[in-house]
Amino acid sequence: QQQVKQSPQSLIVQKGGISIINCAYENTAFDYFPWYQQFPGKGPALLIAIRPDVSEKKEGRFTISFNKSAKQFSLHIMDSQPGDSATYFCAASAGSNYQLIWGAGTKLIIKP
Amino acid sequence: DVKVTQSSRYLVKRTGEKVFLECVQDMDHENMFWYRQDPGLGLRLIYFSYDVKMKEKGDIPEGYSVSREKKERFSLILESASTNQTSMYLCASSFVQGSEKLFFGSGTQLSVL
């Protein structure tokens, strides 16, 4: 019940296309859902996050879509660019718990 | 900008050695974390600390210990390194209680031979 299942494991998208990464969870107590972006040789960095009081959050080309009833959330990258090539992690946590539960990661490659 | 600095980018150790991984943050953050990153497994929490001299076990504390003598510094100790501890180790810090924004270091790739 503590797991966050992330798919796909890897994704190749043409430049200018839409990249979509999905995550699913079971624990209905989760109330914070961040996405982290990790470039090779670097640690993950917070990209965008959502709380379940909204169904969508957009920051530039990055959008989180949240479906509370389905217990799923996804990251959409519009107009994907080669510079977006990275590993993306979804995560979730409940309340003020320190422990983020992480997805397994998606390696995204944007082909020029 | 917050800076989380890990002392080594790459480290090679022998089985049975005692290994110290050091992490320093410069933003007066209360909370510090040690994660282990393995392909296909995401990030797994080893230990975290919400105050000086305080520590809490994460999901996979076995074979590890930590030390936080100063607010800015959080050390991960492998008492007797084993080959299954070969991994990428990531240190992170955060300001507020809970799981708000984490700031990560660049990681230490540890190989135990």
Side-chain angles (χ1 to χ4, degrees):
Chain A
Q1 193 175 16
Q2 280 289 86
Q3 282 186 326
V4 175
K5 294 184 179 179
Q6 183 172 346
S7 61
Q9 230 176 0
S10 62
L11 182 62
I12 300 174
V13 175
Q14 289 293 132
K15 179 183 174 183
I18 302 173
S19 304
I20 302 173
I21 305 170
N22 300 299
C23 285
Y25 63 97
E26 289 295 323
N27 188 348
T28 54
F30 286 154
D31 63 357
Y32 175 67
F33 303 89
W35 285 89
Y36 279 76
Q37 179 188 54
Q38 183 180 30
F39 293 108
K42 300 290 186 184
L46 180 65
L47 182 63
I48 188 172
I50 198 169
R51 296 195 185 272
D53 51 343
V54 296
S55 60
E56 187 176 279
K57 183 172 181 181
K58 187 174 180 179
E59 288 184 6
R61 296 183 294 108
F62 299 90
T63 300
I64 299 179
S65 296
F66 183 78
N67 186 330
K68 192 173 181 177
S69 60
K71 290 184 283 187
Q72 294 176 348
F73 59 110
S74 58
L75 177 70
H76 296 237
I77 307 174
M78 312 300 287
D79 187 26
S80 299
Q81 298 297 312
D84 298 330
S85 297
T87 299
Y88 292 81
F89 292 96
C90 64
S93 69
S96 61
N97 191 314
Y98 291 104
Q99 293 194 33
L100 277 170
I101 308 300
W102 295 80
T106 296
K107 185 172 183 179
L108 174 65
I109 297 171
I110 307 300
K111 282 197 162 184
Chain B
D1 270 356
V2 174
K3 196 165 183 184
V4 179
T5 303
Q6 294 185 230
S7 54
S8 305
R9 182 72 184 95
Y10 298 98
L11 212 51
V12 180
K13 295 293 181 180
R14 295 281 180 195
T15 302
E17 277 193 78
K18 191 168 186 175
V19 182
F20 293 87
L21 301 183
E22 306 286 344
C23 175
V24 177
Q25 50 94 3
D26 67 356
M27 278 301 290
D28 202 35
H29 281 177
E30 304 292 331
N31 309 315
M32 296 189 76
F33 307 80
W34 275 107
Y35 283 94
R36 173 175 170 161
Q37 181 178 5
D38 299 288
L41 295 178
L43 278 67
R44 293 180 291 168
L45 183 63
I46 305 171
Y47 268 97
F48 63 97
S49 168
Y50 51 87
D51 201 353
V52 175
K53 296 193 187 293
M54 304 300 288
K55 61 184 179 184
E56 295 283 346
K57 292 181 180 179
D59 297 320
I60 53 164
E62 297 78 19
Y64 303 95
S65 62
V66 290
S67 172
R68 192 166 181 201
E69 296 295 318
K70 293 185 178 181
K71 191 175 185 180
E72 67 271 17
R73 188 179 295 271
F74 193 33
S75 302
L76 180 68
I77 303 151
L78 287 67
E79 296 290 341
S80 178
S82 63
T83 54
N84 62 13
Q85 292 178 310
T86 292
S87 186
M88 171 67 77
Y89 290 89
L90 290 164
C91 175
S93 70
S94 71
F95 179 56
V96 297
Q97 251 197 18
S99 47
E100 300 296 328
K101 185 174 181 179
L102 294 178
F103 295 84
F104 282 88
S106 293
T108 295
Q109 178 63 52
L110 173 66
S111 296
V112 182
L113 306 178

